[in-house]
Amino acid sequence: MSGLQHAERLWNNILALGGRRIAALSLIGVVVFLAVGLGAYYLSRPAQETLYTGLSREDVGRIGSVLKDANIPFDVSADGAAVLVAYGHTAQARMLLAEKGLPQSAKSGYELFNDLGSLGMTSFMQEVTRVRALEGEIARTIQGMKGVKAARVHIVLPDRGSFRREQQAPSASVVVRTEPANDVSGAQSIRHLVASAVPGMKPDRVTVIGSDGALLLSGDDTAVAPTGKMATLEKSVGQELQDNIRRTLTPYLGVGNFEVSVAARLNTDKTVQNETIFNPDQRVERSIRAVRETENSQNRKTDRPTTTQGAIPDQRPRSDGNDSASNETQKREDLTNFEISSKTIQTVSDGYAIRQISVAVLVNRARLASLAGADANKANIDAQVAEIEQLVGSAAGFIKERGDNVKVAAVGFVNDGQPLEPVAPLSLTDVLMRQSATLINAGTILLVAGLLIWFGLRPAMRAILEIPAAEQALALAAAGANGGDAAPMSAAASGNLVAGPGAPPALAAAVASGTAPSLAAPVNGVASMIEDLTEKLNRSPQKRLEQMIETDEAQVADILKRWLLRGEAA
């Protein structure tokens, strides 16, 4: 039989049940489905659900106190940043916390202005609220960074003075809690973030502190790096050198055949170097001054000599001398200023320099012996160790004058250089133990479904499907009445029908249970009676007999007469 024929047969069987039976079966199926679904939902739902996440420790303590007073069971996550309550109590807990104004950490930004009215607000209160809102918004942004679990920001905005020549610059302090605790990679970013968010603030006016009290960044931190930053920088440099050595030795020795340890000492001092160079061979005339002076002077003496002749009247003394002198002077002065070529060099070193590195490498002796082959003696192994030492020095940037140390030793490894054994898979018992809660829930759901089907669906199906059997018994009785094969029955004084000894077993059982009619009619007139009786099975036999007599009294009397005659003959 093909699948289409099976489907048609199934469809015909369903249609033969009738509308009321199909509706009853559908109702039972829906009830069973809803019962199983609700049972699975209530059994598989989580025991607790998250109330709030990303809370501070203060808010967790306040929320726990309020929930404890309200007798609401709760729990705190492992990291202490989330509160969980029992399933179904989330809405009640949130309404209760909202009445108490919790959590408070979620209301630290510009939403502070939502609860403030302009009436009665002083300028001081407005300024304080503005600073609080700015601090809360910056703290939220910092908490969104990777590795930052909590942050607190304090901003100082000085008042502007009218008679001050120099105004005080704003400053800020930031306290962060990172995971891991010694992570300082984001301190510089936090500093620039805060400086950019506050007008007039410079990055060197922002101080970043860790939750453990360690100073991460402070002031102009390029020259005075804190100890924590120095240790982190040395660790980073050592890890980089270690990776370089591993990449060099892995193709040669293989994974697991060597171990590397690098210790780097750095110098982060800020160095400023000024250098001025003069070159006397390169001269440039800067200025020239030339002075020329010529002086001529003559001196002649014409005075008469003083003698006695001068006292005689009309006598003039005679001077025979001719005293005269001449002088000529020339002066020449040349002044040339030369500019000597000079070169000024200023070098500022603001980074770090490696002061000394120490490298220790342990090599598996068995691996070296396998590489040497048949000639695996001490000399060959020492030669390989010396070669490895040269490779390590080249990979690490070894400088002997700097005082670097590189040590390579060939030793026997405990596990012979082999990688760790894989972890054995979990056994069936371990898997069942870990999934015990899920298995219990699934078993409970299956048990509930089985109980519903056994005690609910099965009796209902039996009650619905027994109705066609009663109709079949009635049809057999009617056929026997027409063909002379019906079982005889006798009428009791009370009006009830009793099956005779020759009645069919199905009909006798139906009559005994009171679910089958006690009379049958001929085939040509019984169809309508059977349909009417099917609709009124819950009625008593007396009522059904009265209805059959009202329908066709002659046929009922004929059937009763035949059953009585057969009962006497038997």
Side-chain angles (χ1 to χ4, degrees), residues 76 88 147-148 207 220 306 473 509 561:
V76 182
V148 178
T207 302
D220 191 5
T306 302
K561 187 184 296 183

Side-chain angles (χ1 to χ4, degrees), residues 212-554:
D212 55 352
L215 184 62
L216 304 182
L217 284 177
S218 175
D220 191 5
D221 211 28
T222 56
V224 286
T227 307
K229 182 179 178 182
M230 173 70 75
T232 304
L233 186 59
E234 290 182 349
K235 182 178 179 180
S236 177
V237 173
Q239 185 65 36
E240 183 179 358
L241 295 177
Q242 186 173 343
D243 293 340
N244 293 338
I245 296 173
R246 286 185 180 277
R247 285 193 296 268
T248 303
L249 297 182
T250 298
Y252 181 39
L253 299 175
V255 179
N257 290 312
F258 64 93
E259 291 294 335
V260 182
S261 178
V262 178
R265 296 180 59 189
L266 305 181
N267 183 10
T268 58
D269 296 339
K270 183 177 180 180
T271 303
V272 179
Q273 182 178 359
N274 297 324
E275 182 180 1
T276 303
I277 300 175
F278 295 95
N279 189 358
D281 298 333
Q282 296 180 358
R283 295 182 301 173
V284 178
E285 293 181 354
R286 185 175 182 180
S287 61
I288 299 175
R289 181 183 178 185
V291 179
R292 300 288 187 272
E293 294 183 0
T294 302
E295 182 180 355
N296 294 323
S297 61
Q298 294 181 358
N299 188 8
R300 177 177 295 178
K301 188 176 181 181
T302 58
D303 295 338
R304 292 179 180 181
T306 302
T307 61
T308 56
Q309 187 179 359
I312 300 174
D314 297 330
Q315 292 292 326
R316 295 183 177 179
R318 186 178 61 179
S319 176
D320 295 333
N322 189 10
D323 297 334
S324 63
S326 64
N327 186 16
E328 181 177 356
T329 304
Q330 292 184 357
K331 183 179 180 181
R332 182 177 180 180
E333 180 179 354
D334 293 332
L335 177 62
T336 303
N337 295 325
F338 292 94
E339 186 71 27
I340 300 176
S341 178
S342 63
K343 182 178 181 181
T344 303
I345 300 175
Q346 183 177 5
T347 303
V348 179
S349 177
D350 199 12
Y352 65 89
I354 298 178
R355 182 178 299 174
Q356 184 183 9
I357 59 174
S358 300
V359 182
V361 181
L362 296 179
V363 183
N364 187 14
R365 183 181 293 273
R367 177 61 178 171
L368 297 179
S370 63
L371 292 176
D375 300 333
N377 51 24
K378 188 176 183 304
N380 293 334
I381 293 178
D382 292 340
Q384 291 180 353
V385 169
E387 183 179 0
I388 293 173
E389 186 172 350
Q390 293 179 358
L391 292 175
V392 171
S394 299
F398 174 78
I399 299 177
K400 185 177 181 180
E401 292 76 9
R402 192 171 55 189
D404 297 345
N405 297 321
V406 176
K407 179 63 176 178
V408 179
V411 296
F413 282 17
V414 175
N415 58 351
D416 200 16
Q418 299 297 325
L420 297 177
E421 295 294 333
V423 179
L426 296 177
S427 62
L428 181 60
T429 304
D430 296 336
V431 174
L432 293 178
M433 290 298 295
R434 292 189 178 186
Q435 303 294 331
S436 58
T438 305
L439 294 177
I440 291 174
N441 291 338
T444 306
I445 294 172
L446 294 177
L447 179 61
V448 171
L451 292 176
L452 288 174
I453 293 174
W454 184 261
F455 293 103
L457 183 61
R458 187 169 175 268
M461 291 290 295
R462 181 183 300 173
I464 294 175
L465 296 179
E466 282 179 355
I467 296 176
E471 293 180 355
Q472 184 179 4
L474 184 60
L476 291 176
N482 289 331
D485 296 333
M489 299 184 67
S490 61
S494 60
N496 293 334
L497 296 182
V498 181
L507 181 59
V511 173
S513 60
T515 59
S518 59
L519 294 176
V523 176
N524 53 1
V526 172
S528 60
M529 297 171 62
I530 292 176
E531 183 177 359
D532 191 12
L533 289 174
T534 304
E535 296 177 355
K536 300 180 178 181
L537 289 175
N538 57 347
R539 302 181 62 180
S540 63
Q542 292 86 353
K543 296 293 184 180
R544 293 197 297 271
L545 180 58
E546 291 175 1
Q547 186 178 7
M548 293 174 65
I549 293 174
E550 290 176 359
T551 302
D552 195 346
E553 185 178 355

Side-chain angles (χ1 to χ4, degrees), residues 49-114:
E49 56 185 352
T50 303
L51 182 63
Y52 288 108
T53 59
L55 300 174
S56 63
R57 298 178 181 178
E58 294 79 8
D59 282 339
V60 171
R62 298 189 189 101
I63 291 174
S65 178
V66 173
L67 295 179
K68 185 177 180 181
D69 295 340
N71 294 327
I72 297 177
F74 70 95
D75 194 5
V76 182
S77 61
D79 56 355
V83 177
L84 300 91
V85 296
Y87 189 85
H89 292 77
T90 306
Q92 178 185 0
R94 288 179 178 173
M95 292 297 295
L96 179 62
L97 295 175
E99 294 178 359
K100 304 294 184 180
L102 296 173
Q104 294 181 357
S105 60
K107 192 177 181 181
S108 59
Y110 285 114
E111 64 270 12
L112 289 172
F113 292 97
N114 297 336

